[in-house]
């Protein structure tokens, strides 16, 4: 019966979170599935810790691709994923989000004429220099089934001649499953939570120096906790960054701790896609160090502010935002928390 398994392809931290709720929904409908982990993320905190906390079984395939340049990493994934798909012959392949694992998974599948379903379709930052934007656009245009987290995403696909299905966001489902299980916030007192890892911020030395200067300004007045992504840690090691007193750099934390830290923080400073949304849902004000966001709903609702990579702007925005509590009303742009169920049901009806 192996050839009837639906294949899910993941590789990076946020994809394990998305997979956790979707796989539960597939299991509950007895849809046989196998998981390919490309190995894009491999540090304990970035991968195994996530699998443990999310209660995910070991993936059937771990391709162990690891880190490299974009081209080499994507090419190695493409070739290894193809081998698995040739063996498994799945009726459909499910890919998540916007990483190189997403792009490689969808390209390997369509070249074998295996239909692709994209979870988190239709998002756009309209910033083509971001690797994630290229990955999203290409994946959407390769996919036969497009699951949109917002109505705006459905409209965007329509503008591009594609038909999306509104399901809501599977990260809301994950939060619903796991936030009740999260431990008390491990940080005492008032603090600002920082996560910075996007390529456009870490790989431009001037930009990163200005972001760090903003974090340092904050740390003179407030406790700042920064669970640091390995990409950023490596850049800081090369810069010989000296740690200001109020700043704690810590290892990446597990998802359950992360939820409790976002909830406990007085403000979040980030460039992460997932963290912007989680801050919105957990009612913590957020300052996003980016020109544009693929989650504009969080900005429109007043919970998120985009800022320049500039010390005074970051400091000023946090000081402003930490006191803001715009309320959430009834407007929940990310669905009803049953996105994974709708996706599993759709796959059962249309693909098996
Ligand atoms: C990737 C995604 C990004 C997503 C992020 C989630 C792409 C193009 N980017 O970025 O959209 O926001 O994952 O966290 O796919 N590294 C380690 N250990 C690890 C993983 C990475 O040391 O377990 C280091 C390596 O030096 C590597 C660098 O981090 O070169 C970048 O890793 P990579 O997976 O290429 O991109 P991310 O920045 O993690
Ligand atoms: N996250 C986590 N531990 C951390 C930092 C982030 O569990 O130390 C979670 C976070 O809560 C969110 C997801 O990882 O659910 C976001 O992933 P990331 O910021 O790596 O990628 P992005 O969303 O920007 O693609």
């Amino acid at each position: 019966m192996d050839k009837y398994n639906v294949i899910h392809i993941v590789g990076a931290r946020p994809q394990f979170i998305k997979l956790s709720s979707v796989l539960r929904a597939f299991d509950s409908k007895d849809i046989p599935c196998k998981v390919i982990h490309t190995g894009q993320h491999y540090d304990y905190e970035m991968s195994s810790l996530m699998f443990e906390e999310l209660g995910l079984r070991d993936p059937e395939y771990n391709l162990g691709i690891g880190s490299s340049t974009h081209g080499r990493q994507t090419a190695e994934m493409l070739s290894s994923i193809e081998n698995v798909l040739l063996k498994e012959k799945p009726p459909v392949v499910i890919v998540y989000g916007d990483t190189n694992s997403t792009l490689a998974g969808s390209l390997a599948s369509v070249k074998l004429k295996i239909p692709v379903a994209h979870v988190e379709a239709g998002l756009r930052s309209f910033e083509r220099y971001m690797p994630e934007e290229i990955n999203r656009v290409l994946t959407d245009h390769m996919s036969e089934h497009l699951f949109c987290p917002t109505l705006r995403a459905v409209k965007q696909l329509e503008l591009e001649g594609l038909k999306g299905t509104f399901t809501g966001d599977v990260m809301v489902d994950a939060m619903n499953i796991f936030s009740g299980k999260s431990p008390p916030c491990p940080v005492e007192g008032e603090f600002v939570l920082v996560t910075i890892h996007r390529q456009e911020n870490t790989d431009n030395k001037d930009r990163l120096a200005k972001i760090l200067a903003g974090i340092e300004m904050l740390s003179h007045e407030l406790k700042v906790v920064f669970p640091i992504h390995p990409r950023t840690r490596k850049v800081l090691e090369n810069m010989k960054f000296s740690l200001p007193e109020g700043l704690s750099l810590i290892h990446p934390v597990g998802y359950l701790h992360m939820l409790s830290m976002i909830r406990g923080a007085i403000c979040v400073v980030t460039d992460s896609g997932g963290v912007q949304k989680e801050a919105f849902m957990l009612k913590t004000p957020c300052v996003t160090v980016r020109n544009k966001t693929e989650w504009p709903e969080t900005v429109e609702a007043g919970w998120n502010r985009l800022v320049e990579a500039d010390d005074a702007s970051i400091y000023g925005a946090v000081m402003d935002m930490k006191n803001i509590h715009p309320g959430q009303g009834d407007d929940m742009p990310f669905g009803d928390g049953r996105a994974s169920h709708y996706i599993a049901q759709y796959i059962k009806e249309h693909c098996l």
Side-chain angles (χ1 to χ4, degrees):
M1 290 296 281
D2 269 6
K3 66 180 174 173
Y4 297 115
N5 281 294
V6 171
I7 296 278
H8 299 255
I9 300 180
V10 292
R13 173 169 65 187
Q15 294 169 327
F16 309 142
I17 297 163
K18 293 163 196 171
L19 175 71
S20 70
S21 57
V22 174
L23 210 50
R24 277 173 186 235
F26 276 62
D27 284 349
S28 76
K29 294 181 194 306
D30 293 322
I31 303 172
C33 295
K34 286 190 179 177
V35 174
I36 300 179
H37 182 335
T38 62
Q40 178 170 350
H41 285 175
Y42 47 86
D43 285 355
Y44 171 71
E45 293 95 346
M46 300 297 288
S47 178
S48 298
L49 173 62
M50 289 286 155
F51 274 74
E52 283 162 27
E53 284 205 346
L54 295 162
L56 279 165
R57 57 180 182 262
D58 285 346
E60 279 73 15
Y61 296 93
N62 191 326
L63 307 180
I65 302 297
S67 307
S68 192
T69 57
H70 282 276
R72 180 177 290 273
Q73 185 185 53
T74 309
E76 286 178 0
M77 288 177 190
L78 191 59
S79 155
S80 299
I81 292 169
E82 183 177 66
N83 289 338
V84 178
L85 297 182
L86 283 168
K87 186 171 144 214
E88 290 287 342
K89 299 182 176 48
V92 61
V93 164
I94 321 266
V95 297
Y96 296 82
D98 52 23
T99 73
N100 288 345
S101 298
T102 319
L103 176 64
S106 35
L107 187 52
S109 307
V110 294
K111 290 283 180 180
L112 293 172
K113 302 192 171 53
I114 299 167
V116 176
H118 185 202
V119 175
E120 227 179 60
L123 298 180
R124 299 288 180 267
S125 68
F126 304 102
E127 300 273 39
R128 286 287 173 111
Y129 60 80
M130 295 173 79
E132 294 81 8
E133 183 74 355
I134 299 296
N135 291 343
R136 292 182 192 116
V137 171
L138 294 176
T139 300
D140 281 343
H141 285 260
M142 284 190 278
S143 298
E144 195 165 319
H145 310 288
L146 295 158
F147 299 129
C148 297
T150 62
L151 289 170
R152 187 188 301 249
V154 178
K155 283 200 188 115
Q156 179 58 36
L157 290 178
E158 229 171 84
L159 291 174
E160 297 178 25
L162 300 172
K163 186 172 167 11
T165 302
F166 174 67
T167 56
D169 186 350
V170 300
M171 285 186 85
V172 175
D173 309 10
M175 272 193 54
N176 288 344
I177 298 168
F178 293 102
S179 64
K181 299 179 183 167
S182 66
C185 181
V187 187
E188 278 176 17
E190 290 199 333
F191 71 99
V192 176
L193 179 66
V194 174
T195 81
I196 295 289
H197 74 280
R198 289 301 180 99
Q199 182 177 299
E200 65 273 15
N201 283 334
T202 57
D203 289 17
N204 176 331
K205 282 207 174 91
D206 289 344
R207 213 176 144 86
L208 184 61
K210 287 184 192 157
I211 296 171
L212 293 172
I215 294 170
E216 184 165 353
M217 267 174 95
L218 287 170
S219 71
H220 294 315
E221 280 181 46
L222 294 160
K223 198 187 294 180
V224 179
V225 182
F226 186 171
I228 192 161
H229 188 289
R231 170 193 280 281
T232 318
R233 176 173 42 79
K234 285 180 182 164
V235 179
L236 293 196
E237 278 163 10
N238 289 335
M239 284 170 76
K240 306 210 175 355
F241 173 69
S242 61
L243 202 62
E245 206 170 307
L247 172 62
S248 306
L249 281 188
I250 60 172
H251 288 284
V253 297
Y255 178 57
L256 299 182
H257 275 94
M258 191 64 186
L259 291 180
S260 63
M261 286 170 75
I262 295 172
R263 193 188 286 115
I266 52 169
C267 188
V268 169
V269 176
T270 195
D271 57 6
S272 158
V275 173
Q276 290 174 62
K277 255 180 313 172
E278 287 163 350
F280 168 81
M281 290 185 285
L282 294 167
K283 299 195 166 103
T284 299
C286 183
V287 170
T288 299
V289 189
R290 290 223 219 143
N291 299 330
K292 294 265 184 65
T293 177
E294 63 279 14
W295 301 105
E297 296 81 3
T298 58
V299 176
E300 287 158 8
W303 284 93
N304 189 9
R305 187 181 295 179
L306 301 181
V307 288
E308 296 285 317
D310 163 73
D311 52 357
S313 307
I314 294 170
Y315 174 85
V318 171
M319 289 304 161
D320 227 19
M321 289 293 281
K322 74 184 175 63
N323 302 316
I324 282 177
H325 282 88
Q328 234 159 52
D330 294 329
D331 197 19
M332 176 49 180
F334 306 119
D336 65 2
R338 286 170 52 77
S340 306
H341 161 81
Y342 300 133
I343 290 169
Q345 190 59 35
Y346 175 107
I347 294 290
K348 198 165 185 169
E349 286 168 17
H350 295 85
C351 304
L352 301 184

